[in-house]
């Protein structure tokens, strides 16, 4: 089996959380705002639920609010529901943009760094027998988060 096949197998068979951490050279408030309100700007256009590209992503930041992808083809597909949102501190939501089974959960926290800037921690969890076959689709978080960092630091 080649490396790509092994990576696909490992990603789809596991149920452990996908975790990433990065430093962003902006305040917690700016980091949070760039993550939540800039989502359509830093999200990879090829990773869409509609397959038509993103026109915009609507994020209602209150608990119970929806995250909805609006595709260029006019379709609207719900990605998830906000379960916890404290500006500058954390943003947690269910996620089901492209997988069947139970929704997974994305939790992002924002912590001040002692030398300035913000530590951003992303945990994508909630993998179980009903949804783990789609876990491999989320192997691109590191790429997405680098795009997020560039957006947050240069906007």
């Amino acid at each position: 089996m080649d490396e790509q096949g092994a990576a696909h197998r490992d990603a789809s068979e596991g149920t452990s959380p996908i975790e990433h951490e990065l430093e962003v050279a902006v305040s917690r408030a700016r980091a949070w705002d760039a993550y939540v309100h800039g989502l359509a700007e830093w999200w990879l256009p090829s990773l869409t639920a509609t397959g038509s590209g993103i026109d915009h992503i609507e994020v209602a930041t209150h608990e119970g609010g929806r995250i909805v992808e609006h595709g260029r083809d006019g379709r609207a597909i719900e990605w998830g529901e906000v379960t916890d949102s404290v500006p500058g501190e954390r943003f947690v939501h269910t996620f089901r943009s492209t997988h069947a089974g139970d929704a997974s959960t994305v939790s992002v926290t924002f912590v001040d760094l002692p030398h300035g800037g913000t530590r951003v921690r992303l945990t994508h969890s909630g993998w179980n027998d009903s949804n783990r076959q789609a876990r491999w689709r989320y192997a691109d978080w590191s790429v997405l988060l680098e795009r997020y960092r560039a957006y947050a630091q240069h906007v």
Side-chain angles (χ1 to χ4, degrees), residues 19 26-27 58-60 69 75 84 92 105-106 118 132 142:
E19 298 177 307
V26 298
S27 70
E58 177 184 354
V59 181
E69 171 190 325
R75 289 187 295 154
D84 190 15
V92 183
T105 300
V106 175
T118 303
R132 72 179 181 173
S142 60

Side-chain angles (χ1 to χ4, degrees), residues 35-84:
Y35 184 91
V36 175
H37 297 295
L39 190 56
E41 300 301 320
W42 57 264
W43 194 263
L44 276 169
S46 60
L47 298 179
T48 66
T50 64
S52 68
I54 296 172
D55 179 59
H56 68 282
I57 299 173
E58 177 184 354
V59 181
T61 60
H62 60 277
E63 190 172 326
R66 306 285 185 213
I67 301 172
V68 180
E69 171 190 325
H70 294 269
R72 290 190 182 131
D73 63 1
R75 289 187 295 154
I77 296 180
E78 185 175 312
W79 283 11
E81 179 180 326
V82 176
T83 58
D84 190 15

Side-chain angles (χ1 to χ4, degrees), residues 4-130:
Q4 185 177 20
H8 181 294
R9 184 195 72 232
D10 291 345
S12 66
E13 291 180 4
T15 57
S16 61
I18 298 168
E19 298 177 307
H20 292 280
E21 187 173 285
L22 68 153
E23 294 183 7
V24 183
V26 298
S27 70
R28 284 186 309 139
R30 175 67 190 132
W32 188 91
D33 190 61
Y35 184 91
V36 175
H37 297 295
L39 190 56
E41 300 301 320
W42 57 264
W43 194 263
L44 276 169
S46 60
L47 298 179
T48 66
T50 64
S52 68
I54 296 172
D55 179 59
H56 68 282
I57 299 173
E58 177 184 354
V59 181
T61 60
H62 60 277
E63 190 172 326
R66 306 285 185 213
I67 301 172
V68 180
E69 171 190 325
H70 294 269
R72 290 190 182 131
D73 63 1
R75 289 187 295 154
I77 296 180
E78 185 175 312
W79 283 11
E81 179 180 326
V82 176
T83 58
D84 190 15
S85 178
V86 178
E89 292 184 24
R90 65 185 169 275
F91 187 70
V92 183
H93 62 90
T94 61
F95 199 50
R96 183 198 303 259
S97 74
T98 60
H99 69 266
D102 295 334
S104 54
T105 300
V106 175
S107 174
V108 187
T109 59
F110 305 85
V111 178
D112 285 327
L113 290 168
H115 59 276
T118 303
R119 175 174 290 117
V120 179
R121 291 185 183 129
L122 179 137
T123 303
H124 191 166
S125 61
W127 303 107
N128 59 37
D129 287 341
S130 77

